[in-house]
Amino acid sequence: MTARVVLVGPMGAGKSTVGALLAEAWGVPARDTDADVEALEGRSISDVFVDSGEAHFRDLERKAVAEALAAHEGVLSLGGGAVLDPATRDLLRGHRVVFLRVGLAEAVKRVGLGSSRPLLLGNVRSRIKALLDERTPVYESVATLTVDTDGKDPAEVVAEIREALG
């Protein structure tokens, strides 16, 4: 049993939205590891970060990704930072991994400058740029397919993935 496809990318790339639409198109379930962590903890990711720290969140995330990769047969969307963990990158080998690439301007527009995301405290635009600069090479290293999302609506992104993956 293995996920049909795994979506990775930064916040604002559309992983949750595209994941749900892709799963619907294929008639398979969608799963989001951020939602899994929130359900397990009974609180938002922002609260986990603030109350328990990033290291605790990353540990929960690593476990959620491992469990989902082993048990989920549909479309799996990973949190933006999940691929930073070497063990998670190892687990992704052999899976069809789609990197949803988004540019800085589009990511800022989608995430919003008044974001409640814990990694964006302070100057949202500069934090998103730093995260994109740091993480893009990691996303590219695990991806079997890269899809640019700038200027496309979610349905267009889904169509591109379906065409590429069959």
Side-chain angles (χ1 to χ4, degrees):
M1 185 183 314
T2 182
R4 182 153 183 188
V5 68
V6 181
L7 302 178
V8 300
M11 59 187 83
K15 298 177 301 290
S16 298
T17 302
V18 169
L21 290 171
L22 190 57
E24 184 180 328
W26 278 334
V28 298
R31 186 165 175 178
D32 186 314
T33 58
D34 279 350
D36 289 351
V37 169
E38 288 182 338
L40 178 72
E41 285 286 291
R43 54 191 173 145
S44 72
I45 287 171
S46 292
D47 287 345
V48 174
F49 258 82
V50 171
D51 299 339
S52 304
E54 184 174 2
H56 178 69
F57 169 73
R58 294 298 175 201
D59 185 50
L60 295 171
E61 180 178 56
R62 180 182 318 106
K63 291 172 184 167
V65 171
E67 197 278 326
L69 285 171
H72 182 68
E73 291 183 328
V75 177
L76 179 61
S77 300
L78 303 190
V83 298
L84 299 178
D85 184 84
T88 296
R89 291 196 300 272
D90 288 344
L91 289 173
L92 289 172
R93 283 195 191 94
H95 289 274
R96 294 197 303 181
V97 179
V98 178
F99 167 31
L100 299 181
R101 183 166 39 210
V102 63
L104 177 61
E106 193 79 13
V108 169
K109 188 169 78 177
R110 292 176 188 175
V111 170
L113 292 175
S115 178
S116 64
R117 296 174 189 248
L119 288 177
L120 296 184
L121 297 175
N123 182 330
V124 173
R125 186 178 178 85
S126 70
R127 288 295 300 139
I128 291 176
K129 181 180 184 330
L131 290 171
L132 289 175
D133 290 348
E134 171 195 358
R135 295 176 178 180
T136 295
V138 182
Y139 296 133
E140 290 171 343
S141 76
V142 300
T144 56
L145 173 67
T146 297
V147 176
D148 287 302
T149 66
D150 285 7
K152 297 176 187 168
D153 67 35
E156 292 171 306
V157 175
V158 167
E160 191 171 328
I161 294 168
R162 290 184 70 194
E163 184 176 328
L165 298 182

